[in-house]
Amino acid sequence: MNKSIWLRWRQPLIIFVLCFAGLGLIQNFIKSTLFQIDLSNRANIPLDTTDSAAVLRSLGISNLIPQLTFTCSPHDISELRMADQDSTHVHYLQLKTPKNECSVYGYVAPIDPASIINKSIKINDISISPYTNNRLIIVKHFSNGASLLAVSEPFTKLLYHSKTKRENIAITLTYKNQHITISNVNKKTTKHRLFKKDLPHNFSIEVFVTEQGINDVTKKDLYLINSVSMFALIVLCLLLGLNNNHQNSVKSMIDNGIRNKEFIPYYQPIINSITKKIVGCETLIRWHKSNGEIIPPNAFIDIAEKNKQIYEITRVRS
């Protein structure tokens, strides 16, 4: 390899190799950070308050209750269907009264709240229980004996849509000293990592995720970060190399100028203001190239000092 080329690109190459290796070493840290940020951004789940009415508000069905007659009339069924369509968090709604039952499917209510034996979180007159396919059942009980039941969308869908397979994510919801497991996987056979997101008013959500789950959720953002980092690193190294090229070119020109005696001293007199006599002088260097071009000092002094050529330049004579 040409020695001048090696000297020019040695520093940028070393910086590139070190930064590339460093980027590789911190990949797991970047993925974990991206997953935690992603969880924080997505965990606007409809369970962020101690107020049972606000739970319904978060579900998007709080406006439904005042519209119901609690008779399972065609009007009630129509209101259930409209609320189900308008809410992004609710998959299914049904109403049971002491005399009648109905749902978004008509005069049927296939889910019996009394049959739900899973562990539940209770907030005043609302109970929250895990349901199939990583969903929740939220039941509000009324003083007249009626109950309004809502089945949420799958939590893995709310949090991660279709980014990873269901078996890669396990979710636990906690409220004060009560907790329920929304989705579960075998933590003994697969390595999992825990991420926790604290929600307002004593709620928190814990996510156990496999390495494959982290890779699936963060791969797009990780690709973007790595691409931007590599682009910035390549641009930086090119600029360093080109800067070295410029300095080496100027260094070579200075050597030629020294050999050709192109550096001319200009003497600026120092005059005593009282006697009006010259008491000394200040020497200013100017670079007169053989082609008649005059190079200003600020274009070569710094480079000459860096390469110790300044000593040769200062030996010029009038």
Side-chain angles (χ1 to χ4, degrees):
M1 182 184 293
N2 186 287
K3 185 176 180 181
S4 63
I5 294 177
W6 165 246
L7 292 175
R8 180 190 311 168
W9 293 100
R10 178 178 60 185
Q11 182 189 34
L13 182 61
I14 291 173
I15 291 175
F16 179 85
V17 171
L18 291 176
C19 291
F20 183 80
L23 186 63
L25 291 173
I26 63 173
Q27 288 296 288
N28 284 336
F29 171 77
I30 295 174
K31 286 190 288 187
S32 296
T33 302
L34 287 173
F35 190 94
Q36 187 69 53
I37 293 172
D38 189 77
L39 175 62
S40 297
N41 290 337
R42 292 181 182 275
N44 292 320
I45 58 175
L47 300 169
D48 56 359
T49 179
T50 57
D51 182 343
S52 61
V55 172
L56 298 177
R57 261 198 318 274
S58 300
L59 283 168
I61 59 173
S62 59
N63 294 331
L64 168 64
I65 296 174
Q67 306 302 320
L68 295 174
T69 63
F70 292 94
T71 60
C72 277
S73 62
H75 169 80
D76 283 352
I77 295 174
S78 175
E79 291 294 334
L80 290 173
R81 289 171 175 169
M82 289 178 59
D84 181 58
Q85 291 174 1
D86 292 340
S87 175
T88 58
H89 296 305
V90 173
H91 177 74
Y92 168 80
L93 284 169
Q94 76 173 37
L95 175 66
K96 278 200 171 188
T97 71
K99 295 182 179 181
N100 302 295
E101 59 183 29
C102 56
S103 68
V104 292
Y105 301 133
Y107 295 102
V108 293
I111 302 176
D112 182 5
S115 67
I116 301 172
I117 59 175
N118 293 326
K119 190 174 183 179
S120 63
I121 291 175
K122 299 187 184 302
I123 310 173
N124 301 327
D125 54 4
I126 282 184
S127 63
I128 304 168
S129 307
Y131 194 51
T132 59
N133 296 327
N134 305 328
R135 294 175 293 180
L136 290 178
I137 284 184
I138 299 96
V139 182
K140 178 173 175 58
H141 301 277
F142 298 91
S143 58
N144 61 2
S147 63
L148 176 64
L149 181 147
V151 177
S152 74
E153 291 287 353
F155 260 58
T156 49
K157 179 180 179 181
L158 290 173
L159 289 178
Y160 301 110
H161 300 286
S162 302
K163 286 188 172 184
T164 189
K165 293 181 179 179
R166 184 182 303 167
E167 57 264 27
N168 290 327
I169 300 285
I171 302 172
T172 298
L173 181 69
T174 301
Y175 170 68
K176 294 184 177 179
N177 60 346
Q178 306 176 67
H179 67 274
I180 54 175
T181 300
I182 302 172
S183 63
N184 200 5
V185 292
N186 190 345
K187 303 184 185 71
K188 294 181 180 179
T189 59
T190 309
K191 182 181 178 182
H192 283 70
R193 299 173 69 177
L194 172 65
F195 295 85
K196 184 176 181 180
K197 164 69 173 176
D198 290 323
L199 303 173
H201 305 292
N202 302 307
F203 271 103
S204 66
I205 187 169
E206 293 180 338
V207 176
F208 294 87
V209 59
T210 64
E211 292 297 329
Q212 184 59 49
I214 292 178
N215 292 336
D216 291 342
V217 171
T218 62
K219 61 183 178 183
K220 288 186 178 180
D221 291 334
L222 183 66
Y223 176 79
L224 178 62
I225 288 176
N226 287 338
S227 299
V228 171
S229 299
M230 288 302 301
F231 177 77
L233 180 59
I234 291 172
V235 170
L236 173 64
C237 291
L238 285 175
L239 290 176
L240 286 173
L242 293 174
N243 183 58
N244 288 340
N245 182 36
H246 169 71
Q247 292 194 16
N248 288 335
S249 298
V250 175
K251 178 179 180 296
S252 178
M253 292 170 60
I254 291 174
D255 285 335
N256 290 331
I258 292 172
R259 285 194 298 269
N260 297 330
K261 301 185 184 303
E262 294 176 352
F263 294 95
I264 310 298
Y266 283 74
Y267 299 100
Q268 181 170 300
I270 300 174
I271 300 175
N272 187 310
S273 60
I274 298 176
T275 63
K276 309 299 182 182
K277 293 182 179 180
I278 297 175
V279 294
C281 66
E282 178 184 6
T283 305
L284 306 175
I285 199 71
R286 295 292 183 269
W287 185 359
H288 288 251
K289 298 188 68 177
S290 57
N291 60 3
E293 182 183 3
I294 298 178
I295 309 297
N298 62 343
F300 65 88
I301 290 296
D302 289 342
I303 297 176
E305 289 178 342
K306 179 180 179 180
N307 294 295
K308 297 184 172 27
Q309 296 168 301
I310 195 68
Y311 301 116
E312 293 294 326
I313 293 176
T314 54
R315 292 194 183 102
V316 295
R317 294 290 185 270
S318 58

